[in-house]
């Protein structure tokens, strides 16, 4: 079988980037997977894991032959990296990212294009795979990470159909199901189903006395698992998406107030209704 891509470059070969590389190579989807990063030691780890076939610390050298470049860096640096890549990549290259926010990234990339940054090439289309872990680093990479998971694409009005089609096939080839949303709708959606849960998990963990931790069982561990994620990474995500996140947080606080009132008043019927409403929504998702 002929590989779908000759060369794919990944900037930032951590958990997500490493999982993309493993998936491509294990499925025979790309002849070469080039890892790009600042730290040679991390790139050597990616080579040992066989998540990449070559590595560079220089972006221009790393993307020189790539038909597809995937930017897997923290959200504060994605737009900067995309613009830098567009100055040195092939004219026909497709560039995407895996950032958890989209509106600010898409706007910054578009602004660089409008202001006439010299020599911009390739086409950018943002992606966000709804997959990951509180773990970080290529040692936790998994070729099956995207299997059955949603990947959100955020095309602009001028995104060529061929670019969206090829990127859709790329994610589907890794086992994902693909959804297209505007950057704004994306940010509103992930604020509710990803960013607010992380904030709440972190608040719950921080609110737990160390004296109680020896007794912590599955409920506490499951509810707070994502709080173990990288704090700097999540600082960037939460701040970048605060415009969409704050209304979600306000609604959550109102729901907490309703729970509090039911407990304060000993209102068994109200408490049961609240618990059943939560169970109904959770049951609809499945395991």
């Amino acid at each position: 079988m002929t590989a779908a891509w000759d060369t794919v470059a990944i900037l930032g070969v951590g958990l997500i980037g490493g999982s993309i590389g493993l998936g491509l190579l294990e499925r025979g989807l790309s002849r070469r997977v080039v890892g790009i990063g600042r730290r040679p030691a991390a790139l050597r780890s990616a080579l040992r894991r066989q998540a990449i076939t070559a590595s560079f610390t220089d972006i221009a050298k790393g993307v020189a032959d790539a038909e597809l470049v995937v930017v897997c860096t923290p959200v504060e640096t994605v737009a900067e990296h995309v613009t830098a890549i567009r100055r040195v990549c092939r004219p026909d290259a497709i560039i995407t990212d895996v950032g958890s926010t989209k509106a600010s990234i898409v706007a910054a990339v578009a602004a660089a294009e409008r202001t006439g940054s010299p020599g911009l090439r390739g086409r950018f289309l943002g992606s966000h795979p709804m997959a990951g872990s509180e773990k970080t680093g290529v040692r936790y990479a998994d070729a099956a990470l995207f299997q059955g998971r949603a990947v959100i694409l955020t095309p602009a009005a001028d995104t060529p159909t061929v670019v969206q089609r090829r990127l859709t096939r790329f994610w589907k080839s890794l086992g994902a199901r693909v959804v297209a949303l505007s950057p704004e709708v994306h940010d509103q959606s992930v604020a509710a189903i990803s960013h607010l849960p992380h904030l709440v998990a972190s608040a719950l963990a921080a609110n737990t006395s160390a004296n109680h931790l020896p007794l912590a069982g599955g409920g506490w561990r499951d509810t707070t698992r994502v709080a173990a994620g990288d704090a700097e990474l999540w600082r960037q995500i939460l701040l970048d998406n605060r415009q969409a996140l704050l209304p979600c947080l306000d609604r959550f606080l109102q729901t907490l107030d309703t729970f509090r009132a039911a407990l304060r008043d000993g209102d068994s019927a109200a408490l049961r209704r609240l618990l059943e409403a939560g169970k109904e929504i959770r049951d609809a998702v499945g395991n």
Side-chain angles (χ1 to χ4, degrees), residues 188-269:
Q188 292 163 8
S189 299
V190 297
I193 52 95
S194 177
H195 302 168
L196 179 64
H198 191 99
L199 187 153
V200 171
S202 295
L204 179 60
N207 193 56
T208 305
S209 169
N211 295 331
H212 301 319
L213 293 181
L215 303 175
W220 187 90
R221 292 175 185 275
D222 289 347
T223 306
T224 61
R225 178 185 59 81
V226 295
D230 184 272
E232 172 56 22
L233 180 70
W234 277 97
R235 178 195 68 80
Q236 294 185 26
I237 292 169
L238 297 178
L239 280 178
D240 192 57
N241 203 28
R242 63 187 181 275
Q243 186 173 351
L245 179 57
L246 283 169
C248 291
L249 182 58
D250 289 341
R251 288 191 296 272
F252 177 71
L253 291 173
Q254 290 172 2
T255 302
L256 277 185
D257 282 341
T258 307
F259 267 97
R260 187 180 186 281
L263 287 171
R264 182 196 61 217
D265 299 340
D267 190 338
S268 178

Side-chain angles (χ1 to χ4, degrees), residues 6-287:
D6 181 77
T7 302
V8 175
I10 301 170
L11 177 59
V13 194
L15 170 70
I16 300 295
S19 296
I20 291 170
L22 284 174
L24 289 170
L25 293 171
E26 288 189 14
R27 290 171 170 82
L29 297 169
S30 182
R31 186 179 69 84
R32 297 178 70 231
V33 176
V34 178
I36 309 166
R38 294 176 303 167
R39 296 187 297 118
L43 293 170
R44 287 193 295 270
S45 295
L47 285 165
R48 285 194 297 270
R49 283 269 358 240
Q50 298 183 323
I52 57 176
T53 59
S55 67
F56 292 92
T57 55
D58 182 272
I59 288 178
K61 292 178 180 177
V63 305
D65 299 319
E67 302 155 86
L68 173 65
V69 184
V70 187
V71 178
C72 303
T73 61
V75 293
E76 284 187 348
T77 61
V78 168
E80 173 189 343
H81 283 135
V82 169
T83 301
I85 288 164
R86 292 187 68 189
R87 293 193 182 103
V88 293
C89 69
R90 289 168 37 160
D92 62 343
I94 296 172
I95 306 159
T96 192
D97 73 308
V98 298
S100 295
T101 61
K102 280 290 166 282
S104 64
I105 291 171
V106 171
V109 171
E113 195 167 83
R114 285 195 306 272
T115 55
S117 292
L120 292 184
R121 295 178 282 185
R123 295 296 307 208
F124 171 71
L125 171 52
S127 303
H128 179 198
M130 301 301 293
S133 168
E134 72 280 7
K135 308 293 186 183
T136 59
V138 73
R139 60 179 167 170
Y140 297 107
D142 180 359
L145 184 66
F146 310 104
Q147 190 69 42
R149 300 300 185 93
V151 172
I152 304 169
L153 301 184
T154 55
D158 63 346
T159 299
T161 301
V162 65
V163 171
Q164 185 171 346
R165 188 182 302 127
R166 291 201 74 193
L167 202 53
T168 297
R169 285 202 299 265
F170 167 75
W171 287 113
K172 284 186 174 180
S173 73
L174 294 176
R177 52 188 179 87
V178 178
V179 179
L181 298 174
S182 71
E184 294 74 22
V185 171
H186 165 276
D187 285 3
Q188 292 163 8
S189 299
V190 297
I193 52 95
S194 177
H195 302 168
L196 179 64
H198 191 99
L199 187 153
V200 171
S202 295
L204 179 60
N207 193 56
T208 305
S209 169
N211 295 331
H212 301 319
L213 293 181
L215 303 175
W220 187 90
R221 292 175 185 275
D222 289 347
T223 306
T224 61
R225 178 185 59 81
V226 295
D230 184 272
E232 172 56 22
L233 180 70
W234 277 97
R235 178 195 68 80
Q236 294 185 26
I237 292 169
L238 297 178
L239 280 178
D240 192 57
N241 203 28
R242 63 187 181 275
Q243 186 173 351
L245 179 57
L246 283 169
C248 291
L249 182 58
D250 289 341
R251 288 191 296 272
F252 177 71
L253 291 173
Q254 290 172 2
T255 302
L256 277 185
D257 282 341
T258 307
F259 267 97
R260 187 180 186 281
L263 287 171
R264 182 196 61 217
D265 299 340
D267 190 338
S268 178
L271 187 58
R272 184 180 180 88
R273 284 195 300 270
L274 289 163
L275 292 169
E276 286 179 342
K279 174 177 168 53
E280 182 180 355
I281 291 173
R282 181 60 181 86
D283 286 348
V285 177
N287 295 330

